[in-house]
Amino acid sequence: MNLIGITDCNNFYVSCIRSFNPKLIGQPVIVLSNNDGCVIARSNEAKAVGVKMGQPVFQMDKLISDYNIQVFSSNYEHFGDMSRRVFDSMGRFLENVHVYSIDEAFFEASGYEAIHPDLEEFARMLINTVGQWTRIPISIGIGETMTLAKVANKYCKKHPELGGVFIMDTPEKRNEILSDFPIGDLWGVGYRYQALLKRNGIKTALDLSKMPHDWIKQFMTVEGLRLVYELQGIQCRSLDTEPLHKKSICCAPSFGTKVWSLETIREALATYVARAGEKLRRHSSAAGVVTVFLHTNRFDKVGPHYSNSQTVILPHPTSSTMELLQYADTVLESIYRKGYEYQKVGVILNDIVSESHQQELIFNETPDQRQAQLSKLVDKINGRYGRDKIRLAKQGFYEKNWRMHQRHLSPCYTTKWSDILLVK
Amino acid sequence: MIVLNDRIRIDDIRRIVPGIRLKIPLFSSYVAAGFPSPAENYIEKVCDLNDLCILNAEATYFVRVGSDSMSGDRIEAGDILVVDCSLEPVGGRIVVVWLNGDHVVKRIRFAGEMIVLESSNPKYLPIYVHPGEDFKVFGVVTRVIMKPV
């Protein structure tokens, strides 16, 4: 039997900060979204005193002071490096670690019997090693399919006495866990399907796994059918066929202050396009569709509101920042209206293909290779000398007043020399 | 003469990604005009400080020294330590530990049940770690990066 495992970092953003500041262990800690808007990560202690996921921080003054909750801005530079360290550490012991998100990775759990005869012991060794190397607590769920691995992982998080490992490798165990597993917690079951299933009396994952296939296919498409197979222990999602390339890339942090002028919005958009372009090239891909959107703060009671977005299909997929910006900038110009207090501009890249794939299209007008090379060279230089050392003039050169608020930023312990740990 | 003007501020160098490397050829020779260097065929590998200082990149961290308590081991305030968290803290090695609210650099010794943290500056007394104290080993110091004065 082929087993699949998933590693999930517990309260990952909080753990990253605690990794270098053990004083925070045992204390309620929260991490805020971009612009210090709302809660995106909570320590168990913060959950216990009633902090909700997604809660806006301005509603929490009393809670924060009553329980002395420690508040931090999100620091993706630090979180990203710690994520890399966690999964690279696991890669020392596992053949294939498929990073699924910043705090989750799948791996093949079969085939190690010769070196590690006891799978559970092996999983515990991984937890201890990652703990010692990065001080990030992880939990591991193992099952016959990716979906069941996720179920096992959720289960072991709910049961701390398991010590972070749960292996669901027999049909008996599977049926027992699924019979008590709420449908809404399943991977791929959104709010809409949850409502549909509940209306039809399907409450647990076990109920769902026993539904007739025709019914599932009719109401939940082939995706739903895959889910049912996976719950029965038949692999339908595979580590290799899960899309390697992101389907879309979005870069749209809110402004730190209200912004009126087209010039300022242009600067911000140019910077976001540069970020999105870097991301594209990091994954060796190119984008064929660019969307730009712009809006005022809908929740602001005063002032007129405006929001608009527009999409252009490029003549060919490209990864060049200059080319992307050329289109994005034109779109911005056409959707910008004078006289509004804007809160956000953003760019979304879609129709993402791998770079090698697009070169095979002989009959398409192909992008200028020199442009792609230039962008890659700029990435290399900036990788060495610091972000935006070389930039497009459109990105501007002066202190940005539209930059995000990050009032509670934790140090970049592993990515900035000025921020490294100080020892006495 | 080689002019070493320190144009890149140290703060501007960021990640310890092994991909970003300072390449110093192992052999170097003057190139006679028109003729390829006879040593060229021998340059197979370049020396990389990362290879020398970092054995386990995932578990290695840089920390800055903030006190003179280890000056006897030529570790001074402002120096940078390379700390490997994958190594076992064997008695007698210099380690970074978390102790009662601070990260400190000390030489660790095991005396039965007791852990002793020794400084190498006579101004500082050894610290005895008792069971139950807020104590955890962070990692083992593998290199000291200092700037000669």
Side-chain angles (χ1 to χ4, degrees):
Chain A
M1 183 173 42
N2 258 339
L3 290 175
I4 292 178
I6 183 168
T7 297
D8 187 296
C9 304
N10 307 347
N11 309 329
F12 180 58
Y13 298 163
V14 170
S15 299
C16 285
I17 296 169
R18 282 177 167 173
S19 166
F20 292 88
N21 189 354
K23 258 183 213 166
L24 298 169
I25 295 171
Q27 298 212 29
V29 180
I30 55 171
V31 178
L32 306 178
S33 61
N34 276 341
N35 246 327
D36 292 348
C38 42
V39 178
I40 52 164
R42 309 161 293 163
S43 72
N44 291 342
E45 297 78 8
K47 290 174 192 170
V49 299
V51 178
K52 296 275 174 299
M53 204 65 171
Q55 195 172 355
V57 72
F58 68 84
Q59 295 174 354
M60 295 176 47
D61 287 350
K62 192 168 153 23
L63 200 62
I64 287 170
S65 69
D66 282 359
Y67 294 101
N68 193 21
I69 297 174
Q70 306 294 309
V71 182
F72 292 93
S73 303
S74 37
N75 181 347
Y76 287 106
E77 199 176 325
H78 180 218
F79 302 159
D81 185 58
M82 292 312 288
S83 164
R84 183 184 63 79
R85 283 172 183 266
V86 166
F87 299 129
D88 282 359
S89 303
M90 297 191 61
R92 288 284 199 94
F93 306 94
L94 295 165
E95 190 90 23
N96 289 309
V97 179
H98 300 253
V99 178
Y100 182 68
S101 71
I102 194 163
D103 61 351
E104 290 171 295
F106 287 99
F107 60 91
E108 281 159 35
S110 302
Y112 298 95
E113 297 79 11
I115 324 166
H116 305 281
D118 186 331
L119 185 56
E120 184 170 333
E121 228 165 75
F122 181 34
R124 288 196 198 284
M125 184 276 274
L126 289 173
I127 292 179
N128 290 337
T129 305
V130 170
Q132 190 190 333
W133 294 13
T134 67
R135 298 162 303 284
I136 303 278
I138 59 172
S139 41
I140 293 178
I142 295 173
E144 291 146 283
T145 63
M146 289 171 87
T147 307
L148 290 171
K150 275 222 157 199
V151 169
N153 193 46
K154 273 235 160 102
Y155 182 80
C156 84
K157 278 193 162 175
K158 273 190 192 150
H159 297 269
E161 70 279 4
L162 293 169
V165 180
F166 186 64
I167 302 173
M168 202 160 64
D169 53 355
T170 63
E172 294 76 35
K173 271 196 214 173
R174 190 173 77 215
N175 285 346
E176 191 197 323
I177 306 299
L178 291 184
S179 70
D180 201 29
F181 198 83
I183 205 89
D185 285 356
L186 275 178
W187 191 24
V189 174
Y191 188 76
R192 213 163 49 87
Y193 281 143
Q194 200 182 332
L196 168 89
L197 292 169
K198 280 199 174 143
R199 269 201 310 278
N200 287 280
I202 303 160
K203 290 195 190 73
T204 69
L206 188 66
D207 297 341
L208 180 64
S209 74
K210 287 179 174 161
M211 286 302 285
H213 293 174
D214 291 344
W215 188 90
I216 296 287
K217 207 170 167 187
Q218 185 182 349
F219 291 104
M220 296 177 70
T221 73
V222 70
E223 271 303 308
L225 198 57
R226 277 200 192 121
L227 174 64
V228 169
Y229 275 124
E230 286 251 311
L231 286 175
Q232 291 168 349
I234 301 160
Q235 294 191 0
C236 285
R237 301 180 196 227
S238 107
L239 295 171
D240 303 319
T241 56
E242 282 295 300
L244 276 177
H245 294 278
K246 290 170 178 278
K247 284 199 185 109
S248 74
I249 290 175
C250 175
C251 187
S254 302
F255 295 131
T257 56
K258 299 276 158 47
V259 171
W260 286 269
S261 85
L262 179 60
E263 276 323 297
T264 316
I265 296 173
R266 259 206 172 128
E267 255 183 33
L269 181 67
T271 305
Y272 301 163
V273 170
R275 279 303 91 73
E278 280 167 14
K279 225 183 232 178
L280 262 185
R281 295 187 291 273
R282 212 163 36 236
H283 295 278
S284 305
S285 39
V289 173
V290 175
T291 304
V292 174
F293 62 91
L294 178 70
H295 63 74
T296 55
N297 185 357
R298 269 157 286 188
F299 301 106
D300 224 350
K301 289 195 182 71
V302 286
H305 291 300
Y306 173 77
S307 83
N308 203 350
S309 78
Q310 211 171 323
T311 299
V312 280
I313 298 165
L314 312 187
H316 48 248
T318 180
S319 64
S320 148
T321 298
M322 285 149 290
E323 223 173 337
L324 291 168
L325 183 59
Q326 190 189 326
Y327 295 101
D329 200 53
T330 319
V331 173
L332 174 68
E333 225 170 285
S334 80
I335 62 174
Y336 171 81
R337 299 284 175 277
K338 230 176 168 169
Y340 296 97
E341 292 185 332
Y342 289 104
Q343 184 211 15
K344 190 181 255 190
V345 65
V347 61
I348 305 170
L349 304 180
N350 266 309
D351 191 20
I352 291 173
V353 295
S354 95
E355 223 172 8
S356 53
H357 168 74
Q358 55 145 347
Q359 284 166 356
E360 289 158 18
L361 303 170
I362 307 165
F363 299 108
N364 260 23
E365 188 194 338
T366 53
D368 190 342
Q369 279 312 308
R370 288 173 306 176
Q371 282 228 1
Q373 273 167 16
L374 181 59
S375 286
K376 269 183 210 156
L377 190 66
V378 169
D379 288 346
K380 230 184 218 168
I381 295 169
N382 286 344
R384 184 146 174 193
Y385 295 108
R387 180 168 265 182
D388 286 338
K389 271 275 141 63
I390 294 188
R391 65 181 102 186
L392 297 173
K394 270 201 179 118
Q395 287 177 245
F397 285 92
Y398 303 104
E399 195 39 52
K400 308 285 189 290
N401 57 5
W402 48 264
R403 280 243 189 274
M404 292 195 302
H405 285 309
Q406 288 181 315
R407 261 173 294 224
H408 313 282
L409 200 61
S410 55
C412 296
Y413 292 105
T414 58
T415 53
K416 274 204 186 96
W417 283 109
S418 54
D419 285 9
I420 63 175
L421 200 67
L422 190 74
V423 296
K424 288 192 179 165
Chain B
M1 197 183 87
I2 301 164
V3 183
L4 285 172
N5 51 4
D6 201 0
R7 234 181 269 153
I8 308 157
R9 294 197 319 136
I10 198 156
D11 304 8
D12 285 342
I13 308 170
R14 292 187 183 185
R15 284 177 183 249
I16 339 167
V17 183
I20 300 170
R21 288 183 168 184
L22 180 66
K23 299 211 163 168
I24 303 160
L26 205 51
F27 298 92
S28 70
S29 62
Y30 294 104
V31 181
F35 291 96
S37 154
E40 231 166 53
N41 294 340
Y42 298 91
I43 302 177
E44 283 177 351
K45 195 179 180 300
V46 292
C47 285
D48 185 332
L49 269 179
N50 286 311
D51 291 342
L52 184 74
C53 301
I54 299 173
L55 285 174
N56 305 291
E58 309 86 19
T60 298
Y61 302 87
F62 296 142
V63 307
R64 185 172 274 116
V65 180
S67 88
D68 61 354
S69 72
M70 293 303 280
S71 59
D73 290 290
R74 292 177 295 170
I75 296 174
E76 302 290 349
D79 288 356
I80 301 221
L81 307 177
V82 180
V83 184
D84 189 337
C85 298
S86 68
L87 299 179
E88 283 304 313
V90 180
R93 292 207 69 164
I94 297 176
V95 294
V96 169
V97 300
W98 171 257
L99 180 68
N100 298 327
D102 280 312
H103 283 107
V104 294
V105 53
K106 292 282 176 277
R107 196 176 288 280
I108 194 166
R109 304 232 184 252
F110 298 94
E113 292 282 287
M114 193 86 88
I115 294 167
V116 190
L117 301 173
E118 295 173 350
S119 297
S120 55
N121 181 338
K123 282 198 305 198
Y124 298 80
L125 292 173
I127 301 166
Y128 294 86
V129 184
H130 303 276
E133 272 189 281
D134 185 14
F135 171 81
K136 204 166 191 304
V137 175
F138 180 90
V140 176
V141 176
T142 54
R143 297 276 165 177
V144 183
I145 301 170
M146 53 94 80
K147 201 169 180 176
V149 276

